[in-house]
Amino acid sequence: MTFSSTILLFLLFLYSCKAADPLGQQCNENSKIGSKSPVSANIDRLLTELVSKTASSGYEATSLGKGQYVVYGLAQCRGDVNSQDCSTCLQDAAKQVRQLCPNQADASIWYDYCFLRYNVEDFIGKLDTSYAIFYFNVENVTEPEDFNKKLGDLIDKIRSQAVVSKIELGKGETKLSPLVTLYALVQCTRDLAPVDCAQCLAIAVGNFPNFCSNRKGCRALYKNCYVRYELYPFFFPLDPNPSLLGTSKVIVYP
């Protein structure tokens, strides 16, 4: 895979992010539309439908409009998130994506609890790994060989879970020491075939050495899959005795 020389890099604290702040968004500048166009109106209607229908099941993929004005959309919440948090996240996502990408007919937005995407091109069921966001902890592990072995084993296990799961979710944990636990979660969008889910996760994990080598934590956000590991509990149900949080960086490409 090739990467653009343009890289957005900035510091942030994971725990200081507001609930309504997205992890990232992509606004396709080549898909500009007028604010009063039929496509724009259909996007607003589509987002309303996605928000209302997704919370109960955690996933919705649909289209709205006819002919040259049809718009396709997909919304999905992280599989461990309850319906109330799912609904709140999607409401924020629908509002923010229109503010951040007001004149684009192709846009995606990522939150920790949910993902939302729309386009005038039919993308449902099609694997797309052309764009991704990586968050990584700035601190390195002290015993990288043992850490990477246990991380690899855990990721392989939960990747297998996700590919066969109805909600394409896998999560688990493993002990690194009596006092330190490694947590990991992977998920694909539910429109993907199992083979495409496996491929998306393989590409995401395959990029760990480029951005997350020996790091204490990492998140890979693609349009069709999500991979995350940390040395503190981040998925539900939460561990009542979390490890220390860390400072992270984020890279967006291309």
Side-chain angles (χ1 to χ4, degrees):
M1 181 179 294
T2 60
F3 305 102
S4 169
S5 58
T6 303
I7 295 178
L8 173 64
L9 178 63
F10 59 91
L11 288 171
L12 74 162
F13 288 93
L14 284 176
Y15 51 83
S16 67
C17 291
K18 297 180 181 179
D21 290 340
L23 295 174
Q25 71 280 333
Q26 183 189 28
C27 311
N28 185 349
E29 296 298 330
N30 296 320
S31 65
K32 289 190 176 181
I33 54 173
S35 60
K36 296 183 180 180
S37 71
V39 171
S40 183
N42 283 341
I43 290 173
D44 288 332
R45 292 168 56 203
L46 176 73
L47 291 176
T48 299
E49 184 171 333
L50 287 174
V51 171
S52 65
K53 291 184 176 180
T54 305
S56 59
S57 65
Y59 166 77
E60 180 69 24
T62 189
S63 62
L64 193 150
K66 296 181 179 181
Q68 61 182 322
Y69 304 123
V70 66
V71 182
Y72 301 86
L74 181 150
Q76 181 165 308
C77 289
R78 219 174 66 193
D80 61 313
V81 174
N82 65 42
S83 59
Q84 182 177 350
D85 288 338
C86 176
S87 178
T88 300
C89 184
L90 289 171
Q91 290 175 42
D92 290 337
K95 178 181 179 180
Q96 287 294 319
V97 74
R98 288 298 271 161
Q99 292 180 357
L100 295 168
C101 309
N103 301 312
Q104 284 77 38
D106 175 13
S108 303
I109 191 165
W110 290 262
Y111 282 76
D112 194 27
Y113 286 178
C114 65
F115 168 73
L116 188 150
R117 178 185 182 189
Y118 57 82
N119 197 343
V120 291
E121 301 290 336
D122 185 2
F123 62 86
I124 308 299
K126 300 174 183 177
L127 177 62
D128 183 353
T129 57
S130 61
Y131 183 91
I133 301 170
F134 277 82
Y135 281 78
F136 60 88
N137 195 303
V138 297
E139 296 181 357
N140 289 330
V141 296
T142 55
E143 298 181 9
E145 185 174 349
D146 180 64
F147 175 84
N148 288 323
K149 173 64 168 60
K150 290 180 178 178
L151 173 62
D153 291 343
L154 178 58
I155 291 292
D156 286 345
K157 178 181 178 181
I158 64 175
R159 280 165 60 185
S160 298
Q161 292 175 6
V163 171
V164 300
S165 169
K166 289 184 179 180
I167 61 172
E168 301 201 20
L169 172 75
K171 62 178 181 175
E173 59 187 74
T174 188
K175 284 286 186 181
L176 299 180
S177 73
L179 298 178
V180 181
T181 302
L182 173 65
Y183 302 84
L185 180 147
V186 302
Q187 186 171 22
C188 295
T189 54
R190 295 191 214 170
D191 60 317
L192 285 190
V195 64
D196 289 328
C197 174
Q199 183 178 350
C200 188
L201 294 174
I203 291 172
V205 174
N207 275 316
F208 276 6
N210 296 321
F211 304 113
C212 309
S213 181
N214 302 328
R215 302 292 187 175
K216 288 184 176 181
C218 183
R219 265 185 284 186
L221 311 172
Y222 284 80
K223 293 179 181 178
N224 286 118
C225 64
Y226 173 100
V227 181
R228 183 178 181 184
Y229 73 83
E230 305 286 356
L231 294 183
Y232 59 85
F234 63 90
F235 54 74
F236 298 101
L238 290 176
D239 189 325
N241 298 304
S243 303
L244 294 175
L245 300 180
T247 307
S248 72
K249 291 182 180 179
V250 59
I251 292 179
V252 180
Y253 71 86

